[in-house]
């Protein structure tokens, strides 16, 4: 494998992912554009790590150093774009996130200690129902297995008799 070809192939795949995400963002949802940088650079990190693994015997020392530098750069840009995406998401949907957190906190406050103590009891009740259901179906299952064993035994005898 040619080192330069694989290098350009990685950049090409990153470009295809970026263009696809941008197209989907224009046609379907803005979220595709919002997460475009994070996904593109994250996939670029993966592509370059795979490329480094595949070209270890072909690449020289300088190419390996360049790969490490490019990968480190992509990792840094990936984390920066991830933080930027999260900040934008919080800025756009901050009020909704705040309402969700407040409603979650209110639900936790209304959860009293007695309700928490009844959770294991309810779990045991459901577990006992399942065990009883299985125990009631066990004799039927054993009877069906005996019938299948008898049928397979008869089929085996027929096959043996046909061969003789």
């Amino acid at each position: 494998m040619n080192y330069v070809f694989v290098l350009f192939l990685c950049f090409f795949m990153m470009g295809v992912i970026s263009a696809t995400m941008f197209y989907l963002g224009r046609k379907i949802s803005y979220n595709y554009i919002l997460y475009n940088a994070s996904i593109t650079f994250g996939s670029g990190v993966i592509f370059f790590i795979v490329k480094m693994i595949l070209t270890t015997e072909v690449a020289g020392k300088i190419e390996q150093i360049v790969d490490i530098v490019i990968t480190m750069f992509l990792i840094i840009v990936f984390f920066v774009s991830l933080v930027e995406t999260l900040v934008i998401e919080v800025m756009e949907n901050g009020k909704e996130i705040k309402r969700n957190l407040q409603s979650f906190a209110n639900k936790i406050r209304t959860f009293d200690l007695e309700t928490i103590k009844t959770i294991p009891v309810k779990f045991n009740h459901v577990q006992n129902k399942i065990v009883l259901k299985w125990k009631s179906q066990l004799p039927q299952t054993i009877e069906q297995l005996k019938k299948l064993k008898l049928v397979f035994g008869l089929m085996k005898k027929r096959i043996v008799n046909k061969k003789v």
Side-chain angles (χ1 to χ4, degrees):
M1 246 184 208
N2 189 0
Y3 175 80
V4 176
F5 174 73
V6 177
L7 182 70
F8 285 122
L9 182 65
C10 288
F11 284 126
F12 177 74
M13 290 190 308
M14 285 176 60
V16 167
I17 289 174
S18 178
T20 304
M21 294 283 292
F22 183 75
Y23 177 76
L24 291 174
R26 299 274 302 196
K27 296 292 181 181
I28 297 174
S29 173
Y30 171 73
N31 285 336
Y32 288 109
I33 294 175
L34 180 63
Y35 298 113
N36 189 358
S38 300
I39 292 173
T40 301
F41 287 113
S43 61
V45 169
I46 293 170
F47 293 152
F48 270 88
I49 289 174
V50 169
K51 182 185 98 42
M52 285 180 4
I53 292 170
L54 291 176
T55 60
T56 52
E57 61 273 346
V58 176
K61 296 288 183 189
I62 295 174
E63 288 89 2
Q64 290 177 353
I65 292 172
V66 169
D67 281 344
I68 292 171
V69 168
I70 291 173
T71 306
M72 289 301 193
F73 176 74
L74 286 173
I75 289 172
I76 291 169
V77 173
F78 168 70
F79 282 118
V80 169
S81 66
L82 193 62
V83 168
E84 176 235 351
T85 302
L86 293 174
V87 167
I88 290 173
E89 187 70 32
V90 168
M91 295 296 273
E92 287 181 357
N93 300 326
K95 292 179 182 177
E96 183 179 339
I97 292 170
K98 186 177 178 182
R99 277 192 306 249
N100 289 340
L101 289 175
Q102 286 174 345
S103 66
F104 181 69
N106 290 337
K107 287 180 183 178
I108 289 176
R109 282 189 210 121
T110 59
F111 227 52
D112 59 345
L113 191 58
E114 296 301 320
T115 308
I116 294 173
K117 288 181 181 178
T118 61
I119 290 174
V121 174
K122 290 179 182 178
F123 177 75
N124 286 337
H125 180 67
V126 170
Q127 182 182 10
N128 290 338
K129 283 174 104 176
I130 293 171
V131 168
L132 288 174
K133 183 177 179 181
W134 277 77
K135 284 183 179 179
S136 68
Q137 292 180 351
L138 187 62
Q140 296 169 353
T141 308
I142 291 173
E143 191 65 34
Q144 289 173 349
L145 288 173
K146 287 180 182 177
K147 288 178 184 177
L148 283 173
K149 185 177 179 182
L150 180 65
V151 169
F152 285 129
L154 291 174
M155 288 175 56
K156 190 175 184 181
K157 285 182 183 177
R158 285 187 186 170
I159 292 171
V160 170
N161 288 339
K162 285 183 181 180
K163 289 183 181 178
V164 174

